[in-house]
Amino acid sequence: MKALVATQKPFAAKAVEGIKAIFKAAGIETVMLEKYVSEAELIESVADVDALIVRSDKVTKAVLDAAKNLKIVVRAGAGYDNLDLEACTAHNVVAMNTPGQNANAVAELAMAFMIYMSRNRFTPGTGSEISGKRLGLQAFGNVARLVGAKAAALGMKVMAYDPFVKPEDMEAAGVEVAESLEQLYGSSDFVSLHIPATPQTVGSVGASLVSLMPKGACLVNTARKEVIDEASLLALLSSGREDLKYIADVAPDAAADFEQALGKRYFATPKKMGAETAEANVNAGLAAANQIVAYLKDGCERFRLNR
Ligand code: 3PG
């Protein structure tokens, strides 16, 4: 059997070693496709593999059509908007993710982002502290829970909104429960986004919510660029609310316009970098390999996303 690791953004070397060792012990050959640039390269490489590990790499119908032996694809990470789940099901391919495995890395970056913006992006001048400030978490999954705990430890007051999590579970985690998104935005000096990109969330964060934020507030996005309504956010932050800030770990499509109009009040990393730590790569990469072995050997379907 063969497993392909296809990563446009490669894993740390230690993660690759670990993945290879897990597959070798299970009698599976590992094939690597790193830093590829076109879908055609992925299509060529999946032709004879039984299993596939990806990060944000797009697993489209065309890829699945070409993967005649494919039985399982694991997205080493949390968000699976890059997998065509319907096509996976139609091709009898099991799709999984590895929830929580890279969450700490993303949470640490969200914390760093808040401090970076509070200190004027490390340029001269008087900044502010995050201690005592109010943090609003939009959604309360694995990353948000870690951000909440870290923020509380640094003296922030944490509130969360998540219609899919029981209020008592949020309270048990020590965060105040927001009744609505409007309340969350209206009472947060920082809002940190932790929603997935779904048809319901794409383009859902824009001027109508962000305009509710108090003076000097900052929107922090380590989720997906697609959840932002870029046009309305840019319009709001460039005229009317020149006090607000935006920081993201993936550049908006209109990055140049944001940069030009907002100056120091905007920053985005050129590539999505929340999960870019050796630890996160090892956690998510090895989990993906173990899930593949468990499925191929024992039919274990834990973390299956499609039915
Ligand atoms: C995720 O959904 O797990 C994160 O966004 C990380 O994505 P990446 O593996 O492409 O860095």
Side-chain angles (χ1 to χ4, degrees):
M1 288 218 212
K2 266 192 191 177
L4 173 69
V5 179
T7 47
Q8 285 188 312
K9 210 169 52 176
F11 285 126
K14 209 174 156 195
V16 175
E17 273 168 38
I19 291 168
K20 284 183 176 168
I22 289 167
F23 283 147
K24 193 172 176 203
I28 299 169
E29 185 191 335
T30 308
V31 184
M32 299 298 300
L33 175 67
E34 294 181 318
K35 294 187 182 170
Y36 63 97
V37 287
S38 70
E39 187 181 56
E41 289 170 81
L42 179 56
I43 285 177
E44 204 188 314
S45 304
V46 292
D48 62 345
V49 303
D50 300 278
L52 173 62
I53 294 179
V54 292
R55 295 185 63 177
S56 289
D57 309 76
K58 288 195 172 53
V59 179
T60 60
K61 183 175 172 301
V63 171
L64 292 157
D65 283 343
K68 300 288 180 222
N69 294 343
L70 193 65
K71 294 156 189 68
I72 176 167
V73 54
V74 181
R75 189 280 191 248
Y80 50 88
D81 44 308
N82 54 318
L83 307 181
D84 184 335
L85 292 186
E86 266 181 39
C88 285
T89 303
H91 287 78
N92 285 323
V93 171
V94 168
M96 295 182 183
N97 64 347
T98 65
Q101 297 292 348
N102 58 19
N104 190 64
V106 182
E108 285 190 9
L109 189 72
M111 297 308 302
F113 274 0
M114 288 190 266
I115 295 175
Y116 185 55
M117 291 311 258
S118 298
R119 295 301 182 97
N120 303 320
R121 300 190 35 210
F122 300 164
T123 57
T126 308
S128 58
E129 299 176 19
I130 60 169
S131 179
K133 301 296 185 302
R134 298 162 299 175
L135 167 64
L137 302 168
Q138 185 173 349
F140 200 59
N142 291 313
V143 179
R145 281 164 204 257
L146 287 168
V147 174
K150 291 175 199 305
L154 292 177
M156 298 183 87
K157 295 170 198 141
V158 187
M159 185 185 255
Y161 177 79
D162 192 329
F164 303 106
V165 177
K166 288 191 197 130
E168 51 270 35
D169 291 349
M170 295 200 229
E171 276 158 6
V175 303
E176 198 183 325
V177 179
E179 300 287 325
S180 65
L181 270 182
E182 288 70 20
Q183 186 195 359
L184 189 85
Y185 278 78
S187 48
S188 298
D189 301 302
F190 297 88
V191 167
S192 189
L193 302 177
H194 300 290
I195 45 177
T198 66
Q200 290 73 37
T201 63
V202 166
S204 66
V205 178
S208 53
L209 285 173
V210 178
S211 62
L212 303 173
M213 295 180 82
K215 193 167 187 306
C218 180
L219 179 67
V220 179
N221 183 7
T222 55
R224 289 289 183 270
K225 73 172 178 187
E226 290 81 4
V227 303
I228 302 291
D229 172 1
E230 289 188 16
S232 82
L233 183 67
L234 182 60
L236 175 76
L237 269 59
S238 18
S239 93
R241 291 299 305 270
E242 286 92 342
D243 56 300
L244 298 176
K245 301 170 192 163
Y246 178 49
I247 184 161
D249 84 334
V250 59
D253 290 333
D257 298 337
F258 273 81
E259 215 167 293
Q260 198 190 5
L262 309 182
K264 276 203 300 185
R265 292 187 292 122
Y266 157 81
F267 177 79
T269 59
K271 277 198 179 170
K272 184 146 61 85
M273 66 166 292
E276 287 295 80
T277 67
E279 293 89 340
N281 285 180
V282 168
N283 292 341
L286 272 56
N290 281 321
Q291 286 172 217
I292 286 172
V293 172
Y295 176 71
L296 293 176
K297 302 277 167 199
D298 304 319
C300 175
E301 296 197 352
R302 193 161 179 229
F303 303 122
R304 181 170 181 164
L305 299 165
N306 62 331
R307 292 287 156 196

